[in-house]
Amino acid sequence: MLKITNLNKNFGSNAVLKNVSFEACSGDILAIRGESGAGKTTLLRCICNLESADSGSIIIDEIEMMDRVGNKKNSDLHQDKVGLVFQSYNLFPHKNILDNLTLSVLCQKIMSKADATAKAMRFLEKLKIADKATMYPHQLSGGQKQRVAIARAIMLNPKVLCFDEPTSALDAKTTEEIIDIIRTLSSEGICILIITHDNDFANKVATKIIHLEEGRIVAS
């Protein structure tokens, strides 16, 4: 369960998020829609612990990640419970695909190299790109990079997986493939959050949709 209550974020005198509240459960696919400047990316960054809100609370699996006056809590746990698939993928260009997946868990000493490699290969096989393990990001298509980014994000078994505009650079066929992957992850109990401008994509994949406008939820 993800529970956001009265989340507020200002940049100087600009109020970007205004008392945003919603809930999403395990297996939900929640699309967050809105025009540019509506606050979607700021909301996602607060949920992913990349930005600090000014007030409100973020609760994941009944654990408070931020209290009502904006103080971060359980920051390390927060990082482990939320995964993010960046719009531009953010893969390390000088590392092959397998190293991109295992770097984080090895740096945090969460598992041995052998276990990390085995886990990464399972995810690559699941996403049908195991044959790309020794290749580098520049050798992959956009859809393949998206799959690698998804595999990397789920290496830590997050409870919540966030996507930032996942179909912005993909063709129709690849978009359908990403929809299938998102549905599979949802069926395994991961709570999915998607920031998107693509209304057709949101309508196809989402089980819930909220619409942001000028930092407020205006429709759900």
Side-chain angles (χ1 to χ4, degrees):
M1 168 76 77
L2 169 69
K3 185 176 182 180
I4 307 295
T5 306
N6 296 330
L7 208 65
N8 291 279
K9 176 64 180 178
N10 300 323
F11 290 106
S13 60
N14 183 25
V16 180
L17 297 177
K18 305 169 187 174
N19 292 316
V20 172
S21 299
F22 64 88
E23 295 183 6
C25 299
S26 296
D28 282 344
I29 304 174
L30 174 64
I32 303 171
R33 303 191 306 196
E35 301 297 327
S36 294
K40 303 186 306 298
T41 298
T42 299
L43 174 59
L44 194 72
R45 288 178 61 83
C46 289
I47 293 170
C48 293
N49 201 30
L50 298 175
E51 194 76 60
S52 296
D54 296 319
S55 63
S57 68
I58 298 174
I59 297 174
I60 303 174
D61 274 3
E62 301 183 357
I63 299 174
E64 194 173 57
M65 303 301 172
M66 191 190 80
D67 64 24
R68 293 184 181 276
V69 292
N71 296 317
K72 286 187 177 184
K73 303 174 71 175
N74 302 305
S75 188
D76 290 342
L77 189 59
H78 193 166
Q79 293 294 134
D80 291 343
K81 284 187 174 291
V82 183
L84 173 61
V85 181
F86 293 92
Q87 181 178 359
S88 56
Y89 315 127
N90 285 18
L91 303 176
F92 294 107
H94 61 294
K95 292 188 176 294
N96 67 27
I97 300 312
L98 187 58
D99 288 342
N100 264 279
L101 266 63
T102 59
L103 181 62
S104 177
V105 293
L106 293 178
C107 286
Q108 296 182 60
K109 299 181 180 179
I110 293 173
M111 60 184 72
S112 68
K113 185 173 182 178
D115 288 343
T117 298
K119 185 173 185 177
M121 288 305 302
R122 286 198 301 273
F123 285 141
L124 292 176
E125 288 167 4
K126 183 176 183 178
L127 296 174
K128 300 178 182 178
I129 49 171
D131 59 325
K132 311 298 182 186
T134 59
M135 297 177 72
Y136 287 80
H138 75 272
Q139 297 174 295
L140 305 185
S141 68
Q144 290 167 343
K145 290 177 185 176
Q146 182 73 282
R147 290 169 186 248
V148 173
I150 293 170
R152 182 178 63 180
I154 59 178
M155 279 292 289
L156 290 173
N157 301 318
K159 297 294 184 179
V160 179
L161 182 58
C162 301
F163 289 81
D164 186 6
E165 298 288 356
T167 61
S168 61
L170 304 180
D171 59 33
K173 180 177 183 296
T174 307
T175 295
E176 290 295 331
E177 293 171 352
I178 296 302
I179 287 174
D180 288 341
I181 290 170
I182 289 173
R183 286 174 175 161
T184 297
L185 294 171
S186 165
S187 71
E188 294 172 355
I190 299 177
C191 175
I192 308 287
L193 264 63
I194 303 170
I195 297 294
T196 184
H197 285 92
D198 188 338
N199 289 338
D200 289 340
F201 169 69
N203 290 333
K204 281 184 180 180
V205 73
T207 59
K208 297 181 179 180
I209 297 174
I210 62 175
H211 189 85
L212 279 180
E213 189 174 301
E214 295 182 351
R216 298 184 187 276
I217 294 178
V218 296
S220 177

